[in-house]
Amino acid sequence: MNKYSKISIVVSFFGLWLDSFFSNQIQIIFGFTLIFSFGILHGSNDLLLIEDENTKKNTIIFIKKLVLYVLIILLSAILFYFVPLFALLLFIIVSAFHFGEQQWKELISFYPNWICNSISFTYGLFILLLLFIFHTSEVENIIFQITKILVPTTLIPLLFKIIGSVFIITIGYSYYMYTELREKILKELFYLIVFTIIFRTSSLIWGFSLYFVIWHSIPSILEQMKFLYGKFSFQNFKSYCKSALIYWLISIMGITLLYYIFKEKQIFNAIFFSFLAAITFPHAFIITKMFNNKIK
């Protein structure tokens, strides 16, 4: 278990301890604050991550990449407006793989793609369903606000059992076939116990924000800094924040505008997750490319 993972466990349980002192409304405010800070920040340097020598020398190439990036976000928003069910399912699939890939990034260098992708996807999807299963009514309400479709109360528990079974089979096969993976598998299974405690004892937003920021966003920032600058340091972190500032501010301004438009309505949570999905689609692709480039 590395040093950051130990810190993450301590901070996570500290977050649960704070949970007992605050109302659900305060938890939501703190949760959104974490997501708007480190959560949004970790996706604000995407264009820098895909920058190459041609991009540095040619402004037109950079503008093309920027326009394409923005178009993907706009297309995602349009999908949520016209075909929300499809967009939501796509968001869950992409997010599941993205979360799992961050946890299992070490596999990419050593194992067949189907092993890496299978473990990443099933692990990430299992984490999402683990969160959903403890907050079923809230999740069903958000899905209804986005899609106007009433989710059967048995659907999430059923999906949890199915994906859980597939995940166990995938992990069991990998544990049996790849002895060098066993230590990593046991660590991740232990982390799942930690996630279960977090999700079970916290509200939906607070539990999601603890996982999203502590276990996903900050580790992703550390990986991005190693990729961009070679190592983590306070000076490199300042450079990272400086280069991300304009994109972070644009994202914050966008979600702030949505809040003032919809703050008196119950659909704000749905709008927020739709916004998060729109910026997740291009980000997930870029992070996958970053991990692949690190191997090369």
Side-chain angles (χ1 to χ4, degrees):
M1 190 181 298
N2 61 39
K3 184 177 180 180
Y4 181 80
S5 296
K6 294 177 182 178
I7 295 173
S8 298
I9 293 172
V10 173
V11 174
S12 296
F13 283 105
F14 177 73
L16 292 184
W17 178 73
L18 289 178
D19 177 32
S20 61
F21 291 94
F22 300 122
S23 66
N24 189 60
Q25 190 64 31
I26 297 298
Q27 291 177 40
I28 290 174
I29 293 173
F30 282 173
F32 279 137
T33 300
L34 285 175
I35 293 170
F36 291 159
S37 55
F38 288 101
I40 301 298
L41 178 67
H42 96 282
S44 298
N45 260 327
D46 287 348
L47 291 174
L48 186 60
L49 292 173
I50 58 174
E51 190 176 55
D52 52 29
E53 291 303 319
N54 290 330
T55 305
K56 293 176 182 178
K57 296 176 181 178
N58 194 321
T59 305
I60 295 178
I61 294 178
F62 173 79
I63 293 174
K64 286 181 179 178
K65 288 185 177 182
L66 176 60
V67 170
L68 179 61
Y69 187 86
V70 173
L71 284 177
I72 293 174
I73 293 177
L74 291 176
L75 177 60
S76 304
I78 291 171
L79 283 176
F80 267 96
Y81 185 82
F82 289 104
V83 280
L85 180 60
F86 172 77
L88 182 61
L89 290 173
L90 186 61
F91 171 51
I92 291 174
I93 290 171
V94 171
S95 297
F97 181 80
H98 181 53
F99 289 159
E101 183 182 43
Q102 179 65 45
Q103 295 287 139
W104 294 89
K105 56 186 177 296
E106 298 94 339
L107 302 184
I108 300 175
S109 305
F110 306 104
Y111 301 100
N113 284 337
W114 76 272
I115 287 289
C116 301
N117 294 338
S118 298
I119 293 179
S120 296
F121 177 68
T122 54
Y123 184 91
L125 188 55
F126 185 74
I127 288 177
L128 288 176
L129 289 170
L130 192 62
L131 173 65
F132 296 167
I133 198 71
F134 292 120
H135 306 282
T136 304
S137 59
E138 293 175 77
V139 173
E140 289 172 350
N141 185 45
I142 290 174
I143 293 174
F144 177 75
Q145 291 169 3
I146 294 175
T147 67
K148 304 305 177 187
I149 295 175
L150 284 171
V151 177
T153 56
T154 57
L155 180 60
I156 292 178
L158 178 62
L159 287 174
F160 179 76
K161 292 176 182 177
I162 293 173
I163 297 302
S165 299
V166 174
F167 171 69
I168 290 171
I169 292 171
T170 304
I171 288 295
Y173 173 83
S174 302
Y175 187 89
Y176 177 77
M177 292 296 296
Y178 301 97
T179 56
E180 62 273 31
L181 268 182
R182 291 179 180 177
E183 183 179 354
K184 172 66 175 174
I185 289 172
L186 292 175
K187 284 181 183 178
E188 293 300 334
L189 290 177
F190 173 74
Y191 297 154
L192 282 177
I193 296 174
V194 175
F195 300 155
T196 300
I197 297 172
I198 293 172
F199 298 156
R200 175 67 180 82
T201 57
S202 62
S203 64
L204 175 64
I205 296 298
W206 187 235
F208 173 75
S209 63
L210 286 177
Y211 170 75
F212 183 62
V213 172
I214 297 172
W215 292 90
H216 176 73
S217 298
I218 295 178
S220 179
I221 290 173
L222 296 176
E223 286 292 330
Q224 292 175 45
M225 289 175 60
K226 291 177 184 176
F227 179 78
L228 292 170
Y229 310 115
K231 65 176 182 177
F232 170 79
S233 68
F234 182 70
Q235 185 60 43
N236 287 340
F237 180 68
K238 287 171 60 178
S239 299
Y240 180 92
C241 292
K242 184 178 179 180
S243 61
L245 181 62
I246 183 64
Y247 305 107
W248 180 80
L249 286 175
I250 291 172
S251 298
I252 295 301
M253 289 170 60
I255 197 64
T256 301
L257 178 63
L258 289 175
Y259 172 75
Y260 278 105
I261 294 174
F262 297 105
K263 64 179 179 179
E264 302 299 332
K265 301 179 182 180
Q266 293 184 346
I267 64 170
F268 175 71
N269 281 349
I271 295 294
F272 169 74
F273 282 109
S274 300
F275 173 84
L276 200 61
I279 61 178
T280 294
F281 290 135
H283 170 69
F285 171 78
I286 288 170
I287 293 300
T288 296
K289 187 173 182 179
M290 181 192 78
F291 285 138
N292 290 333
N293 285 340
K294 284 181 69 175
I295 298 173
K296 297 175 184 178

